[in-house]
Every structure is written in C-alpha cells, then in structure tokens.
Amino acid sequence: MVNIAFIGAGSVVFTRQLVTDILRFPELADARFVLHDIDSARLAVAEATASHVSDRLGARAVVVGTTDRRAALDGADFVINMIQVGGIDATLADLEIPARHGLRQTIGDTTGIGGVFRALRTFPVLSDLASDMRDLCPDAWLLNYTNPMAMNVWWLSVTAPDIKVAGLCHSVHWTAHDLAELIDVPFEETRYRAAGVNHQAWLLEWTHHGQDLYPQLRERIRGDDELSRRVRVEMFRRLGRYPTETSEHSAEYLSWFLRSDEQIERFRLQPLEYVDISRENVAEFEATRDALAAGRDLELPDGASEYAPQIIHSLVTGTPSEVHVNVPNRGLIDNLPEDCVVEVPATVDAAGVSPMPMGSLPVQCAAVNQPYVSVGRLTVEAARTGDPTLIRQAVLMDPNAQSTLTPEQIWRLCDELTRAHGQLLPPALRASLPATAL
C-alpha cells in the first residue's frame, strides 16, 4: 500500500482530480490517502470527496483526514502540496491593492508583484513542511503544485536541498492538447517537449508521426483575426516559439500588454480576472459540499492529465513515463542560470525522476525568461537574508510593473502590501520601508 499525504486538501476540486487519476491505476487502487488542511470544514468535504471517488471507481482506498500536518506526513511515501497561504483574502489583496495604485494584473500568482508576495507568504510554510518531512518521511517525494511554482521550488532547493522535490504544472500538457485540437491532429499521436521556466516555457519539439507541426500552426493562424488577438499568438509571431501558458497568465509577465487600455482591448484581456476565478472556486467548493450532503454523484474527470499520479505510478511500479517537471537547473538549460528553477521534460521509472538536458533555448526565448528569473532570484534572496529592500527591487525587475509604475510608486505599493499581509510574511520582512528608502 502506497501512502500519499495531501497538504492543502481543502482544494477539493483538485483533490478530486488527483484522487481519481491515482485510483484509475489498478496498481494504486488500495492507496492510503491522508488528507490535511487547516480548515476543518473544507477538510471534511475533501475526505468525503476522496471516499466517494474510491467507491465510484470500485477501488479499495483508505481515506483519513487530519488537521495535524505532522500526523499526515508520518510515514508518507509521497507528499502532494497544494496550499494557498492566506486563502482568498490574501489573493484578493495581491490583485486589488496593486490595481488601486494603477498596476494591472490578470492572475497574480507566478511572478510580478502578486507572485512575489504570494511567495513570501508561502516560504515559511514550505520551510516548516520540509522540516516535518525530514523528521517523519525523509525519503518521500514532495510533489509541489503550489504557485509561484518556480520561486517555491527555488526556495526549497536553497533551504532544504536534502528533500526530493518536483514542481508540477499541467500547462505544458494542455498547451499541446489544445494546439493539436486547433490544427485537427489527434493529440495522442503527437510528441511534444517544452523547456524554459514555469508558465513561460517554450514548445521546442512538437511533431506528428515525425513531422514538425509548427508549419500547420502558422498556416492555421495566418489571416485569422480572432486568433491574432490572443496574447500567446502574438508572442509566437514575434518570438518564433509557442509559450506554454494561457494568454491570461502570459499577458502579465511582459511589458507589452497591460500597459494601456488600447492593448487590453486589442488582446481581449480582463484585468483582475483571478478575482472572479477565486470566487468561482469558492462556489464550486460549496456545490461539491452540497452534492455530497444530498447524496448526489460527483462528476469525475475524464482522462489522466495531472503529472503527480503518473509519477507515483511510475516510481511504484517501474512503468516508464515522461512528464514535465520544475527542478533546479543543474545542466538542463545552458543559457539560463544554473541555480534557477527551470521546467523541462523528465523520464520517470523505478530508478527515480530524471530531468532531461535540453541544451540552449532559442536566444530570444532565453532573453524573455531572464527578467522572470531575476524576480525570482531577488525574492528568494529577500527571504533568505531578511532584506526588505530586495522585495522592492524584485518588483522593480518585473516587466509589467516597470512599464506602469515609477520606482517610488513601486516602493509605496510594496509598503502597503507588506502591511496588508502582516504576520503571514517572514518575520524579518514584516516591517515596511518608507517610499523614499533606497
């Protein structure tokens, strides 16, 4: 029996997806799930959801819920992390406070000012999680889904290098899936590999029966006015490789799109989009809770799109698989810094998770990645050293922020977000700096 701990299991829709994918593997049908969340009401729904999925699939899973993280980790073989430190209130602050200062974001969870403050809230919890794992399950794999992915994995590589960590995101899978659908090629017959940084990787290999699919994509896009008004298509046209995250995410990683009302209208963007998504997530949780209470069946997802179940299955059974992972750049991408976290393909089998060296990115793609990497480096260093000036400098490096705000405005905005997040930040970073501090 494999023991799998879910940290932040109150994200019940995602818990449903992962449990379903895991239990559809016959070899994992007797898995033991220990679900942890600090919110007992959400935890109860997550526990009922996992038990419901097991019953529906005819599996033999053991499901345990606990608000004690150490109890959840004790003896775990795999730890799946999907926490959201500060919950919806902190997420809304990351979006709405910058908007009042004139800085527009769409999602705010990966880089830029939203990503910086989400990382600073998450790092202390990650450090505690790693410490508990060291005591209770030192050989377990930590499979991280929590954003900002690259910064969180980077932080763990610095503060807990003894813990086995793989950062997982489904953006590469769904990019390849949706592009295959766009050009009317069966997805299951395609081969794809991407490399770069999380949410800003690049589709480098994409073929069908050995034939490069990029020419078909260029032909499909040519002359299509609707497609030309998407951020990712514009990036592809200018840079020559397709990015692996949605237009809504990608728009806020660059200086090109959110800087003016004209660009927002042209590329059909919705600033503060994640505010509505966050509220929809709450509504979806409530709908799941109500369905279970009424004895109605939950809708189970089709197919296996998440990487954690595939990794667990391959490590347990030795069955080879190929996924994409976020890991420190140890000889994986030649023209990005060796200590940053990159997203690359990896093979998985009984021997472990083996990231693939991908050589150099196209130089223009590496150039686009560099500011993203700089924001992450300064954020990790701010938390490591306790230097609050580095937080402001991290935001100063962000293309979206620097296209909209002056340095003085960035300092003031960081002061306000520091006060808003208060005790969730690392202790040394809780004090604000005056806007004029340099």
Side-chain angles (χ1 to χ4, degrees):
M1 176 187 293
V2 62
N3 288 279
I4 307 169
F6 282 53
I7 307 301
S11 179
V12 295
V13 175
F14 197 40
T15 293
R16 184 197 314 173
Q17 172 79 60
L18 291 173
V19 170
T20 301
D21 284 359
I22 290 167
L23 293 181
R24 279 182 170 145
F25 287 111
E27 300 91 339
L28 302 179
D30 63 347
R32 181 174 184 266
F33 298 108
V34 185
L35 310 181
H36 168 265
D37 203 280
I38 61 173
D39 185 324
S40 57
R42 279 185 165 271
L43 179 62
V45 176
E47 190 175 355
T49 296
S51 295
H52 175 86
V53 171
S54 180
D55 291 343
R56 286 274 302 281
L57 296 178
R60 306 177 305 282
V62 175
V63 180
V64 178
T66 178
T67 56
D68 183 339
R69 185 177 64 209
R70 288 181 63 85
L73 295 172
D74 193 8
D77 300 303
F78 300 94
V79 178
I80 299 177
N81 179 50
M82 45 190 178
I83 58 174
Q84 183 182 10
V85 178
I88 188 172
D89 291 340
T91 296
L92 294 179
D94 285 341
L95 292 163
E96 292 175 343
I97 292 174
R100 291 202 297 269
H101 286 253
L103 178 57
R104 292 181 280 208
Q105 300 172 95
T106 46
I107 309 297
D109 70 351
T110 296
T111 185
I113 196 161
V116 167
F117 277 88
R118 182 179 282 240
L120 294 173
R121 296 194 305 273
T122 307
F123 288 170
V125 182
L126 289 178
S127 293
D128 290 344
L129 175 61
S131 178
D132 287 347
M133 288 182 64
R134 196 173 289 116
D135 291 343
L136 299 165
C137 53
D139 296 325
W141 271 93
L142 175 55
L143 304 177
N144 180 71
Y145 277 101
T146 295
N147 285 321
M149 178 65 68
M151 285 193 259
N152 287 337
V153 176
W154 197 336
W155 175 253
L156 287 166
S157 75
V158 170
T159 61
D162 54 315
I163 300 296
K164 295 182 292 188
V165 180
L168 307 179
C169 176
H170 47 228
S171 63
V172 174
H173 168 92
W174 284 113
T175 294
H177 176 279
D178 293 350
L179 287 179
E181 187 175 83
L182 181 66
I183 63 172
D184 197 25
V185 170
F187 169 66
E188 62 275 7
E189 296 179 7
T190 64
R191 173 181 173 83
Y192 60 92
R193 286 177 176 170
V197 291
N198 180 240
H199 287 187
Q200 201 182 67
W202 312 95
L203 196 60
L204 300 182
E205 300 177 25
W206 184 40
T207 61
H208 180 236
H209 298 321
Q211 196 76 19
D212 182 16
L213 289 172
Y214 265 129
Q216 291 187 50
L217 179 61
R218 292 187 180 94
E219 184 62 29
R220 175 66 181 82
I221 289 170
R222 187 176 294 115
D224 190 314
D225 291 339
E226 286 300 302
L227 283 176
S228 69
R229 294 178 61 207
R230 299 304 292 152
V231 164
R232 284 208 282 182
V233 171
E234 177 74 352
M235 292 174 68
F236 173 50
R237 290 176 61 218
R238 306 301 177 184
L239 299 168
R241 293 292 187 277
Y242 205 83
T244 60
E245 189 45 78
T246 64
S247 291
E248 290 69 29
H249 275 278
S250 296
E252 65 185 2
Y253 307 155
L254 300 165
S255 62
W256 313 344
F257 299 107
L258 292 170
R259 63 194 302 165
S260 71
D261 293 339
E262 292 78 13
Q263 287 288 84
I264 287 170
E265 180 179 0
R266 177 183 175 188
F267 290 101
R268 297 178 291 171
L269 295 168
Q270 181 186 335
L272 301 181
E273 182 170 358
Y274 202 64
V275 171
D276 290 338
I277 293 172
S278 295
R279 291 176 176 140
E280 289 167 5
N281 289 341
V282 172
E284 198 163 3
F285 161 76
E286 292 171 347
T288 300
R289 177 199 61 199
D290 295 346
L292 289 167
R296 298 194 301 270
D297 281 348
L298 301 178
E299 182 180 350
L300 300 187
D302 294 325
S305 61
E306 296 297 338
Y307 287 142
Q310 297 174 56
I311 289 174
I312 292 169
H313 180 256
S314 290
L315 290 173
V316 169
T317 67
T319 305
S321 63
E322 183 174 312
V323 298
H324 282 75
V325 297
N326 292 270
V327 291
N329 185 26
R330 307 291 187 246
L332 300 174
I333 297 180
D334 295 342
N335 52 350
L336 290 180
E338 66 178 18
D339 59 338
C340 78
V341 168
V342 295
E343 188 164 55
V344 294
T347 56
V348 191
D349 54 26
V353 179
S354 303
M356 299 179 189
M358 295 297 289
S360 292
L361 298 177
V363 290
Q364 71 278 13
C365 296
V368 171
N369 288 157
Q370 286 289 352
Y372 177 120
V373 171
S374 295
V375 172
R377 179 185 302 285
L378 287 162
T379 304
V380 168
E381 193 67 3
R384 189 187 70 81
T385 63
D387 183 352
T389 303
L390 290 170
I391 301 173
R392 282 77 178 165
Q393 292 167 341
V395 179
L396 194 64
M397 295 302 108
D398 172 54
N400 185 39
Q402 64 184 227
S403 74
T404 306
L405 302 179
T406 66
E408 185 173 6
Q409 289 171 323
I410 288 171
W411 254 247
R412 287 178 177 152
L413 173 52
C414 289
D415 291 346
E416 186 170 347
L417 278 170
T418 298
R419 290 190 294 270
H421 291 307
Q423 298 303 305
L424 295 176
L425 300 180
L429 298 176
R430 290 172 187 165
S432 290
L433 292 175
T436 55
L438 294 176

PDB file of all heavy atoms in Angstrom, residues 119-148:
ATOM      1  N   ALA A 119       4.786  34.283  -2.847  1.00  0.00           N
ATOM      2  CA  ALA A 119       5.965  33.502  -2.469  1.00  0.00           C
ATOM      3  C   ALA A 119       6.382  33.797  -1.034  1.00  0.00           C
ATOM      4  O   ALA A 119       6.666  32.874  -0.256  1.00  0.00           O
ATOM      5  CB  ALA A 119       7.116  33.813  -3.425  1.00  0.00           C
ATOM      6  N   LEU A 120       6.413  35.064  -0.672  1.00  0.00           N
ATOM      7  CA  LEU A 120       6.863  35.428   0.672  1.00  0.00           C
ATOM      8  C   LEU A 120       5.932  34.887   1.751  1.00  0.00           C
ATOM      9  O   LEU A 120       6.380  34.578   2.867  1.00  0.00           O
ATOM     10  CB  LEU A 120       6.991  36.944   0.785  1.00  0.00           C
ATOM     11  CG  LEU A 120       8.083  37.579  -0.091  1.00  0.00           C
ATOM     12  CD1 LEU A 120       8.008  39.096  -0.027  1.00  0.00           C
ATOM     13  CD2 LEU A 120       9.475  37.090   0.319  1.00  0.00           C
ATOM     14  N   ARG A 121       4.640  34.761   1.425  1.00  0.00           N
ATOM     15  CA  ARG A 121       3.714  34.137   2.380  1.00  0.00           C
ATOM     16  C   ARG A 121       3.923  32.630   2.460  1.00  0.00           C
ATOM     17  O   ARG A 121       3.688  32.014   3.506  1.00  0.00           O
ATOM     18  CB  ARG A 121       2.252  34.397   1.967  1.00  0.00           C
ATOM     19  CG  ARG A 121       1.827  35.826   1.980  1.00  0.00           C
ATOM     20  CD  ARG A 121       0.303  35.946   1.906  1.00  0.00           C
ATOM     21  NE  ARG A 121      -0.304  35.271   0.777  1.00  0.00           N
ATOM     22  CZ  ARG A 121      -0.467  35.799  -0.433  1.00  0.00           C
ATOM     23  NH1 ARG A 121      -0.009  37.032  -0.676  1.00  0.00           N
ATOM     24  NH2 ARG A 121      -1.055  35.121  -1.402  1.00  0.00           N
ATOM     25  N   THR A 122       4.346  32.038   1.354  1.00  0.00           N
ATOM     26  CA  THR A 122       4.419  30.582   1.268  1.00  0.00           C
ATOM     27  C   THR A 122       5.735  30.028   1.798  1.00  0.00           C
ATOM     28  O   THR A 122       5.774  28.922   2.357  1.00  0.00           O
ATOM     29  CB  THR A 122       4.208  30.138  -0.194  1.00  0.00           C
ATOM     30  OG1 THR A 122       2.993  30.714  -0.685  1.00  0.00           O
ATOM     31  CG2 THR A 122       4.120  28.626  -0.313  1.00  0.00           C
ATOM     32  N   PHE A 123       6.820  30.753   1.638  1.00  0.00           N
ATOM     33  CA  PHE A 123       8.145  30.241   2.025  1.00  0.00           C
ATOM     34  C   PHE A 123       8.195  29.740   3.473  1.00  0.00           C
ATOM     35  O   PHE A 123       8.736  28.645   3.721  1.00  0.00           O
ATOM     36  CB  PHE A 123       9.217  31.309   1.826  1.00  0.00           C
ATOM     37  CG  PHE A 123       9.566  31.616   0.386  1.00  0.00           C
ATOM     38  CD1 PHE A 123      10.384  32.712   0.084  1.00  0.00           C
ATOM     39  CD2 PHE A 123       9.098  30.839  -0.663  1.00  0.00           C
ATOM     40  CE1 PHE A 123      10.717  33.015  -1.227  1.00  0.00           C
ATOM     41  CE2 PHE A 123       9.431  31.131  -1.983  1.00  0.00           C
ATOM     42  CZ  PHE A 123      10.243  32.233  -2.258  1.00  0.00           C
ATOM     43  N   PRO A 124       7.695  30.487   4.464  1.00  0.00           N
ATOM     44  CA  PRO A 124       7.791  29.969   5.840  1.00  0.00           C
ATOM     45  C   PRO A 124       7.062  28.642   6.025  1.00  0.00           C
ATOM     46  O   PRO A 124       7.546  27.762   6.756  1.00  0.00           O
ATOM     47  CB  PRO A 124       7.145  31.088   6.680  1.00  0.00           C
ATOM     48  CG  PRO A 124       7.284  32.323   5.856  1.00  0.00           C
ATOM     49  CD  PRO A 124       7.132  31.860   4.439  1.00  0.00           C
ATOM     50  N   VAL A 125       5.921  28.468   5.369  1.00  0.00           N
ATOM     51  CA  VAL A 125       5.176  27.213   5.491  1.00  0.00           C
ATOM     52  C   VAL A 125       5.943  26.081   4.801  1.00  0.00           C
ATOM     53  O   VAL A 125       5.996  24.961   5.306  1.00  0.00           O
ATOM     54  CB  VAL A 125       3.766  27.369   4.906  1.00  0.00           C
ATOM     55  CG1 VAL A 125       2.977  26.075   5.072  1.00  0.00           C
ATOM     56  CG2 VAL A 125       3.026  28.528   5.576  1.00  0.00           C
ATOM     57  N   LEU A 126       6.546  26.377   3.658  1.00  0.00           N
ATOM     58  CA  LEU A 126       7.358  25.366   2.984  1.00  0.00           C
ATOM     59  C   LEU A 126       8.534  24.930   3.847  1.00  0.00           C
ATOM     60  O   LEU A 126       8.875  23.736   3.889  1.00  0.00           O
ATOM     61  CB  LEU A 126       7.864  25.896   1.642  1.00  0.00           C
ATOM     62  CG  LEU A 126       6.839  26.067   0.521  1.00  0.00           C
ATOM     63  CD1 LEU A 126       7.516  26.650  -0.721  1.00  0.00           C
ATOM     64  CD2 LEU A 126       6.157  24.751   0.183  1.00  0.00           C
ATOM     65  N   SER A 127       9.150  25.869   4.522  1.00  0.00           N
ATOM     66  CA  SER A 127      10.277  25.521   5.401  1.00  0.00           C
ATOM     67  C   SER A 127       9.822  24.604   6.529  1.00  0.00           C
ATOM     68  O   SER A 127      10.498  23.620   6.872  1.00  0.00           O
ATOM     69  CB  SER A 127      10.911  26.790   5.968  1.00  0.00           C
ATOM     70  OG  SER A 127      11.535  27.541   4.947  1.00  0.00           O
ATOM     71  N   ASP A 128       8.663  24.916   7.116  1.00  0.00           N
ATOM     72  CA  ASP A 128       8.129  24.053   8.180  1.00  0.00           C
ATOM     73  C   ASP A 128       7.755  22.680   7.621  1.00  0.00           C
ATOM     74  O   ASP A 128       7.990  21.651   8.277  1.00  0.00           O
ATOM     75  CB  ASP A 128       6.904  24.705   8.810  1.00  0.00           C
ATOM     76  CG  ASP A 128       7.245  25.943   9.628  1.00  0.00           C
ATOM     77  OD1 ASP A 128       8.430  26.127   9.963  1.00  0.00           O
ATOM     78  OD2 ASP A 128       6.316  26.724   9.926  1.00  0.00           O
ATOM     79  N   LEU A 129       7.176  22.650   6.432  1.00  0.00           N
ATOM     80  CA  LEU A 129       6.814  21.378   5.813  1.00  0.00           C
ATOM     81  C   LEU A 129       8.051  20.525   5.575  1.00  0.00           C
ATOM     82  O   LEU A 129       8.069  19.317   5.868  1.00  0.00           O
ATOM     83  CB  LEU A 129       6.083  21.644   4.494  1.00  0.00           C
ATOM     84  CG  LEU A 129       5.731  20.431   3.629  1.00  0.00           C
ATOM     85  CD1 LEU A 129       4.794  19.482   4.365  1.00  0.00           C
ATOM     86  CD2 LEU A 129       5.102  20.879   2.305  1.00  0.00           C
ATOM     87  N   ALA A 130       9.099  21.139   5.046  1.00  0.00           N
ATOM     88  CA  ALA A 130      10.342  20.397   4.796  1.00  0.00           C
ATOM     89  C   ALA A 130      10.938  19.880   6.095  1.00  0.00           C
ATOM     90  O   ALA A 130      11.448  18.748   6.151  1.00  0.00           O
ATOM     91  CB  ALA A 130      11.340  21.293   4.064  1.00  0.00           C
ATOM     92  N   SER A 131      10.879  20.675   7.150  1.00  0.00           N
ATOM     93  CA  SER A 131      11.402  20.239   8.442  1.00  0.00           C
ATOM     94  C   SER A 131      10.630  19.033   8.972  1.00  0.00           C
ATOM     95  O   SER A 131      11.218  18.058   9.467  1.00  0.00           O
ATOM     96  CB  SER A 131      11.329  21.397   9.450  1.00  0.00           C
ATOM     97  OG  SER A 131      11.786  20.995  10.720  1.00  0.00           O
ATOM     98  N   ASP A 132       9.314  19.077   8.838  1.00  0.00           N
ATOM     99  CA  ASP A 132       8.499  17.939   9.274  1.00  0.00           C
ATOM    100  C   ASP A 132       8.787  16.702   8.433  1.00  0.00           C
ATOM    101  O   ASP A 132       8.849  15.583   8.964  1.00  0.00           O
ATOM    102  CB  ASP A 132       7.014  18.292   9.166  1.00  0.00           C
ATOM    103  CG  ASP A 132       6.557  19.271  10.235  1.00  0.00           C
ATOM    104  OD1 ASP A 132       7.309  19.487  11.205  1.00  0.00           O
ATOM    105  OD2 ASP A 132       5.449  19.825  10.088  1.00  0.00           O
ATOM    106  N   MET A 133       8.962  16.884   7.134  1.00  0.00           N
ATOM    107  CA  MET A 133       9.280  15.745   6.284  1.00  0.00           C
ATOM    108  C   MET A 133      10.623  15.141   6.667  1.00  0.00           C
ATOM    109  O   MET A 133      10.790  13.913   6.663  1.00  0.00           O
ATOM    110  CB  MET A 133       9.298  16.167   4.810  1.00  0.00           C
ATOM    111  CG  MET A 133       7.931  16.446   4.224  1.00  0.00           C
ATOM    112  SD  MET A 133       7.998  16.885   2.453  1.00  0.00           S
ATOM    113  CE  MET A 133       8.633  15.366   1.737  1.00  0.00           C
ATOM    114  N   ARG A 134      11.564  15.980   7.005  1.00  0.00           N
ATOM    115  CA  ARG A 134      12.884  15.489   7.418  1.00  0.00           C
ATOM    116  C   ARG A 134      12.761  14.581   8.642  1.00  0.00           C
ATOM    117  O   ARG A 134      13.473  13.579   8.772  1.00  0.00           O
ATOM    118  CB  ARG A 134      13.779  16.693   7.707  1.00  0.00           C
ATOM    119  CG  ARG A 134      15.263  16.389   7.779  1.00  0.00           C
ATOM    120  CD  ARG A 134      16.062  17.670   7.903  1.00  0.00           C
ATOM    121  NE  ARG A 134      16.060  18.452   6.673  1.00  0.00           N
ATOM    122  CZ  ARG A 134      15.532  19.666   6.549  1.00  0.00           C
ATOM    123  NH1 ARG A 134      14.943  20.252   7.576  1.00  0.00           N
ATOM    124  NH2 ARG A 134      15.585  20.292   5.388  1.00  0.00           N
ATOM    125  N   ASP A 135      11.841  14.921   9.535  1.00  0.00           N
ATOM    126  CA  ASP A 135      11.635  14.121  10.746  1.00  0.00           C
ATOM    127  C   ASP A 135      10.814  12.867  10.489  1.00  0.00           C
ATOM    128  O   ASP A 135      11.095  11.809  11.074  1.00  0.00           O
ATOM    129  CB  ASP A 135      10.893  14.954  11.808  1.00  0.00           C
ATOM    130  CG  ASP A 135      11.738  16.075  12.379  1.00  0.00           C
ATOM    131  OD1 ASP A 135      12.976  16.035  12.214  1.00  0.00           O
ATOM    132  OD2 ASP A 135      11.155  16.992  12.980  1.00  0.00           O
ATOM    133  N   LEU A 136       9.789  12.958   9.629  1.00  0.00           N
ATOM    134  CA  LEU A 136       8.750  11.939   9.585  1.00  0.00           C
ATOM    135  C   LEU A 136       8.732  11.102   8.310  1.00  0.00           C
ATOM    136  O   LEU A 136       8.221   9.973   8.334  1.00  0.00           O
ATOM    137  CB  LEU A 136       7.377  12.607   9.758  1.00  0.00           C
ATOM    138  CG  LEU A 136       7.191  13.359  11.083  1.00  0.00           C
ATOM    139  CD1 LEU A 136       5.990  14.280  11.003  1.00  0.00           C
ATOM    140  CD2 LEU A 136       7.039  12.363  12.225  1.00  0.00           C
ATOM    141  N   CYS A 137       9.236  11.636   7.216  1.00  0.00           N
ATOM    142  CA  CYS A 137       9.230  10.871   5.944  1.00  0.00           C
ATOM    143  C   CYS A 137      10.377  11.372   5.070  1.00  0.00           C
ATOM    144  O   CYS A 137      10.135  11.897   3.977  1.00  0.00           O
ATOM    145  CB  CYS A 137       7.888  10.997   5.228  1.00  0.00           C
ATOM    146  SG  CYS A 137       7.318  12.701   4.955  1.00  0.00           S
ATOM    147  N   PRO A 138      11.626  11.231   5.527  1.00  0.00           N
ATOM    148  CA  PRO A 138      12.765  11.834   4.815  1.00  0.00           C
ATOM    149  C   PRO A 138      12.987  11.297   3.410  1.00  0.00           C
ATOM    150  O   PRO A 138      13.637  11.963   2.599  1.00  0.00           O
ATOM    151  CB  PRO A 138      13.957  11.501   5.732  1.00  0.00           C
ATOM    152  CG  PRO A 138      13.518  10.299   6.513  1.00  0.00           C
ATOM    153  CD  PRO A 138      12.041  10.481   6.727  1.00  0.00           C
ATOM    154  N   ASP A 139      12.466  10.126   3.094  1.00  0.00           N
ATOM    155  CA  ASP A 139      12.664   9.553   1.766  1.00  0.00           C
ATOM    156  C   ASP A 139      11.505   9.840   0.815  1.00  0.00           C
ATOM    157  O   ASP A 139      11.531   9.419  -0.349  1.00  0.00           O
ATOM    158  CB  ASP A 139      12.860   8.033   1.873  1.00  0.00           C
ATOM    159  CG  ASP A 139      14.124   7.669   2.638  1.00  0.00           C
ATOM    160  OD1 ASP A 139      15.119   8.422   2.513  1.00  0.00           O
ATOM    161  OD2 ASP A 139      14.103   6.673   3.378  1.00  0.00           O
ATOM    162  N   ALA A 140      10.488  10.553   1.291  1.00  0.00           N
ATOM    163  CA  ALA A 140       9.318  10.824   0.461  1.00  0.00           C
ATOM    164  C   ALA A 140       9.629  11.841  -0.618  1.00  0.00           C
ATOM    165  O   ALA A 140      10.505  12.698  -0.466  1.00  0.00           O
ATOM    166  CB  ALA A 140       8.166  11.325   1.329  1.00  0.00           C
ATOM    167  N   TRP A 141       8.883  11.762  -1.707  1.00  0.00           N
ATOM    168  CA  TRP A 141       8.929  12.787  -2.748  1.00  0.00           C
ATOM    169  C   TRP A 141       7.916  13.873  -2.413  1.00  0.00           C
ATOM    170  O   TRP A 141       6.758  13.582  -2.094  1.00  0.00           O
ATOM    171  CB  TRP A 141       8.574  12.189  -4.106  1.00  0.00           C
ATOM    172  CG  TRP A 141       9.759  11.644  -4.841  1.00  0.00           C
ATOM    173  CD1 TRP A 141      10.228  10.365  -4.827  1.00  0.00           C
ATOM    174  CD2 TRP A 141      10.635  12.381  -5.698  1.00  0.00           C
ATOM    175  NE1 TRP A 141      11.340  10.254  -5.624  1.00  0.00           N
ATOM    176  CE2 TRP A 141      11.613  11.473  -6.179  1.00  0.00           C
ATOM    177  CE3 TRP A 141      10.688  13.706  -6.119  1.00  0.00           C
ATOM    178  CZ2 TRP A 141      12.629  11.860  -7.049  1.00  0.00           C
ATOM    179  CZ3 TRP A 141      11.692  14.095  -6.985  1.00  0.00           C
ATOM    180  CH2 TRP A 141      12.657  13.177  -7.439  1.00  0.00           C
ATOM    181  N   LEU A 142       8.348  15.133  -2.485  1.00  0.00           N
ATOM    182  CA  LEU A 142       7.446  16.273  -2.361  1.00  0.00           C
ATOM    183  C   LEU A 142       7.063  16.712  -3.768  1.00  0.00           C
ATOM    184  O   LEU A 142       7.907  17.173  -4.543  1.00  0.00           O
ATOM    185  CB  LEU A 142       8.121  17.409  -1.605  1.00  0.00           C
ATOM    186  CG  LEU A 142       7.346  18.732  -1.501  1.00  0.00           C
ATOM    187  CD1 LEU A 142       5.968  18.529  -0.907  1.00  0.00           C
ATOM    188  CD2 LEU A 142       8.149  19.759  -0.693  1.00  0.00           C
ATOM    189  N   LEU A 143       5.802  16.552  -4.112  1.00  0.00           N
ATOM    190  CA  LEU A 143       5.283  16.926  -5.426  1.00  0.00           C
ATOM    191  C   LEU A 143       4.498  18.223  -5.241  1.00  0.00           C
ATOM    192  O   LEU A 143       3.395  18.226  -4.687  1.00  0.00           O
ATOM    193  CB  LEU A 143       4.404  15.806  -5.982  1.00  0.00           C
ATOM    194  CG  LEU A 143       5.095  14.428  -6.071  1.00  0.00           C
ATOM    195  CD1 LEU A 143       4.120  13.369  -6.570  1.00  0.00           C
ATOM    196  CD2 LEU A 143       6.338  14.485  -6.955  1.00  0.00           C
ATOM    197  N   ASN A 144       5.086  19.316  -5.686  1.00  0.00           N
ATOM    198  CA  ASN A 144       4.536  20.645  -5.402  1.00  0.00           C
ATOM    199  C   ASN A 144       3.685  21.164  -6.552  1.00  0.00           C
ATOM    200  O   ASN A 144       4.136  21.238  -7.690  1.00  0.00           O
ATOM    201  CB  ASN A 144       5.659  21.642  -5.134  1.00  0.00           C
ATOM    202  CG  ASN A 144       5.108  23.024  -4.849  1.00  0.00           C
ATOM    203  OD1 ASN A 144       4.528  23.258  -3.800  1.00  0.00           O
ATOM    204  ND2 ASN A 144       5.267  23.946  -5.795  1.00  0.00           N
ATOM    205  N   TYR A 145       2.450  21.544  -6.226  1.00  0.00           N
ATOM    206  CA  TYR A 145       1.573  22.218  -7.180  1.00  0.00           C
ATOM    207  C   TYR A 145       1.361  23.686  -6.828  1.00  0.00           C
ATOM    208  O   TYR A 145       0.751  24.426  -7.600  1.00  0.00           O
ATOM    209  CB  TYR A 145       0.200  21.534  -7.226  1.00  0.00           C
ATOM    210  CG  TYR A 145       0.141  20.316  -8.111  1.00  0.00           C
ATOM    211  CD1 TYR A 145       0.201  19.035  -7.572  1.00  0.00           C
ATOM    212  CD2 TYR A 145      -0.005  20.432  -9.490  1.00  0.00           C
ATOM    213  CE1 TYR A 145       0.130  17.907  -8.388  1.00  0.00           C
ATOM    214  CE2 TYR A 145      -0.074  19.312 -10.309  1.00  0.00           C
ATOM    215  CZ  TYR A 145      -0.006  18.053  -9.750  1.00  0.00           C
ATOM    216  OH  TYR A 145      -0.072  16.942 -10.566  1.00  0.00           O
ATOM    217  N   THR A 146       1.830  24.119  -5.681  1.00  0.00           N
ATOM    218  CA  THR A 146       1.550  25.467  -5.207  1.00  0.00           C
ATOM    219  C   THR A 146       2.353  26.501  -5.978  1.00  0.00           C
ATOM    220  O   THR A 146       3.560  26.356  -6.157  1.00  0.00           O
ATOM    221  CB  THR A 146       1.863  25.572  -3.702  1.00  0.00           C
ATOM    222  OG1 THR A 146       0.955  24.728  -2.987  1.00  0.00           O
ATOM    223  CG2 THR A 146       1.709  26.987  -3.206  1.00  0.00           C
ATOM    224  N   ASN A 147       1.675  27.557  -6.418  1.00  0.00           N
ATOM    225  CA  ASN A 147       2.334  28.693  -7.059  1.00  0.00           C
ATOM    226  C   ASN A 147       2.736  29.734  -6.015  1.00  0.00           C
ATOM    227  O   ASN A 147       2.139  29.808  -4.948  1.00  0.00           O
ATOM    228  CB  ASN A 147       1.395  29.330  -8.088  1.00  0.00           C
ATOM    229  CG  ASN A 147       1.293  28.495  -9.350  1.00  0.00           C
ATOM    230  OD1 ASN A 147       2.281  27.940  -9.818  1.00  0.00           O
ATOM    231  ND2 ASN A 147       0.098  28.397  -9.913  1.00  0.00           N
ATOM    232  N   PRO A 148       3.765  30.541  -6.336  1.00  0.00           N
ATOM    233  CA  PRO A 148       4.542  30.592  -7.581  1.00  0.00           C
ATOM    234  C   PRO A 148       5.522  29.422  -7.674  1.00  0.00           C
ATOM    235  O   PRO A 148       6.451  29.324  -6.875  1.00  0.00           O
ATOM    236  CB  PRO A 148       5.277  31.937  -7.491  1.00  0.00           C
ATOM    237  CG  PRO A 148       5.415  32.185  -6.015  1.00  0.00           C
ATOM    238  CD  PRO A 148       4.183  31.601  -5.381  1.00  0.00           C
TER     239      PRO A 148
END
